[in-house]
Amino acid sequence: MTKKHIITILTFTLLLLLSITTISCSLSKSAPNDTDDENPDLTVVGFSQPGAESAWRVALTDSVKESFTEDKGYKLIYKDAQSKQDNQIRDIRTFIQQGVDYIVISPIVETGWDTVFSEAKAAGIPVIICDRNVVVSNESLYTAFVGSDFKAEGESAVYLMEKLFEDSEPDSNKPLNIVHIQGTLGSSAQIGRSHALELGLGDHENWKVVYEDCGEFTKAKGREIMAMAIDELGAENIDVVYCENDEEAFGAMAALNEAGISYGPDSGIKIVSFDAVNTALIMCMNGQISAEVECNPLQGPYIYNLISHLKNGEAVPKITYVKEQYFTSESLTADFIEGRKY
Ligand code: GYE
């Protein structure tokens, strides 16, 4: 081999090595969720959802995704924790490692966030809580909360139950038997809605919870619990089903349908529910659901607004409650329901 040959082979090998390094670098740079590869001008927001258990939650996800788009200057990293707090904690740690600019989290339950929020604080990343609230040892561990006042929602449901049964109210000896299908235990949505019902029980001697179980905010669980309640108590001993979200109400109605038991205006059994998603509002308008308390998932614009202020170095309120209302068949029209986003 001549000297010329050796130089050619060496040059070729060097070029080959160089191109392999370049390719592998650019491959690793385009790995999903790597925040370094994108337009550095984008503000990166990590959004951690507890799961996708309900239509309501899908509406919340959509609202946040629509609010933080690239054309508005944002990159949103979305994580679904598959209904496990441990996954949510892991997702937040990933956001911290990625060096996101803001963390937005809908916490599955109220407690257990101190350590991971302290880590975010130490990394200088503001944490914004949305939808459900948290209880932490020190309020400075998060920047702001945007979401619902769940106790107020529960109080609206109790008020609507009073209205529904006000004719039988003078006869306070007649018990009002309540099946209570709770949401995910320990979530602020469950805690507030259950607490308001407890207060309602204290105010009405004849109100009794005759069956109570956790429906995890899902249709499958709601159906299972309702079927067990029917089996154990008999439909004639149930007056109202207090469902802590619409999925559970859909499940309860499925169980009632399977058992051939009627509900709504023509029967003793009334369904009261939370969320007011489109399908549920149609059922409320038709009388199958007797009362709906709205839980507003359109929180993206509220969070967007908060983050815009933070980016400008402005102070933001610690608590922002979203606007919500309640419905019965009298207050609903098809046009109104059609005009809603969820
Ligand atoms: O009611 C339910 C959901 O946290 C307010 O979670 C939310 C609740 C909502 O899955 O449908």
Side-chain angles (χ1 to χ4, degrees), residues 53-54 56-57 131-132 150 189 193 217 244-245 275 295:
E53 72 286 352
S54 62
W56 185 94
R57 189 153 304 285
D131 162 28
R132 303 175 181 173
F150 296 111
R193 291 167 185 171
F217 288 129
E244 288 188 359
N245 84 338
D275 281 358
C295 184

Side-chain angles (χ1 to χ4, degrees), residues 59 62-63 66-67 277-278 297-298 301 336-342:
D62 290 348
S63 171
E66 279 164 23
S67 299
V277 295
N278 261 300
L298 305 181
F336 171 79
I337 298 172
E338 238 165 71
R340 282 167 64 89
K341 250 199 127 179
Y342 61 95

Side-chain angles (χ1 to χ4, degrees), residues 110-130:
E110 275 190 354
T111 55
W113 304 103
D114 280 53
T115 309
V116 76
F117 284 5
S118 306
E119 292 166 21
K121 194 181 170 190
I125 305 171
V127 172
I128 292 159
I129 317 285
C130 76

Side-chain angles (χ1 to χ4, degrees), residues 29-286:
K29 278 213 156 191
S30 65
N33 294 341
D34 187 343
T35 58
D36 300 333
D37 62 328
E38 303 288 333
N39 175 353
D41 295 338
L42 294 180
T43 301
V44 183
V45 176
F47 176 37
S48 163
Q49 275 279 43
E53 72 286 352
S54 62
W56 185 94
R57 189 153 304 285
V58 174
L60 173 64
T61 301
D62 290 348
S63 171
V64 174
K65 282 185 176 169
E66 279 164 23
S67 299
F68 293 95
T69 53
E70 290 207 4
D71 52 305
K72 289 188 196 149
Y74 286 92
K75 178 187 176 191
L76 187 79
I77 307 174
Y78 166 73
K79 294 272 187 194
D80 172 341
Q82 310 284 327
S83 305
K84 290 198 177 71
Q85 184 177 26
D86 284 351
N87 289 347
Q88 252 192 317
I89 292 174
R90 190 204 54 209
D91 292 341
I92 298 172
R93 292 207 165 111
T94 308
F95 293 152
I96 297 171
Q97 275 162 19
Q98 289 172 316
V100 301
D101 298 302
Y102 295 91
I103 291 173
V104 176
I105 171 172
S106 162
I108 184 160
V109 287
E110 275 190 354
T111 55
W113 304 103
D114 280 53
T115 309
V116 76
F117 284 5
S118 306
E119 292 166 21
K121 194 181 170 190
I125 305 171
V127 172
I128 292 159
I129 317 285
C130 76
D131 162 28
R132 303 175 181 173
N133 214 336
V134 291
V135 173
V136 282
S137 60
N138 181 340
E139 299 287 293
S140 76
L141 290 179
Y142 66 92
T143 303
F145 163 80
V146 176
S148 305
D149 181 342
F150 296 111
K151 181 164 167 262
E153 285 182 1
E155 284 165 351
S156 296
V158 165
Y159 165 78
L160 293 169
M161 272 162 64
E162 284 167 353
K163 290 267 150 220
L164 275 171
F165 295 97
E166 69 191 343
D167 292 347
S168 51
E169 198 67 5
D171 176 9
S172 60
N173 289 327
K174 190 182 174 297
L176 184 86
N177 292 334
I178 304 166
V179 170
H180 180 197
I181 309 184
Q182 295 174 287
T184 302
L185 297 180
S187 67
S188 65
Q190 175 271 317
I191 291 171
R193 291 167 185 171
S194 292
H195 183 51
L197 178 61
E198 274 156 34
L199 296 176
L201 295 174
D203 289 343
H204 302 82
E205 264 183 53
N206 62 325
W207 286 20
K208 287 197 173 51
V209 170
V210 288
Y211 200 95
E212 184 176 69
D213 205 345
C214 168
E216 300 287 356
F217 288 129
T218 67
K219 180 176 177 183
K221 273 283 191 179
R223 181 185 198 151
E224 211 178 288
I225 292 167
M226 194 65 220
M228 290 192 292
I230 298 167
D231 257 14
E232 202 168 292
L233 305 164
E236 63 288 1
N237 294 313
I238 301 171
D239 297 302
V240 56
V241 192
Y242 185 95
C243 304
E244 288 188 359
N245 84 338
D246 282 339
E247 302 299 322
E248 292 177 346
F250 298 148
M253 286 186 278
L256 287 163
N257 291 341
E258 276 156 26
I261 299 162
S262 64
Y263 45 90
D266 310 323
S267 128
I269 299 185
K270 310 278 183 242
I271 312 256
V272 171
S273 180
F274 296 85
D275 281 358
V277 295
N278 261 300
T279 350
L281 281 187
I282 293 168
M283 290 173 157
C284 186
M285 182 177 69
N286 297 337

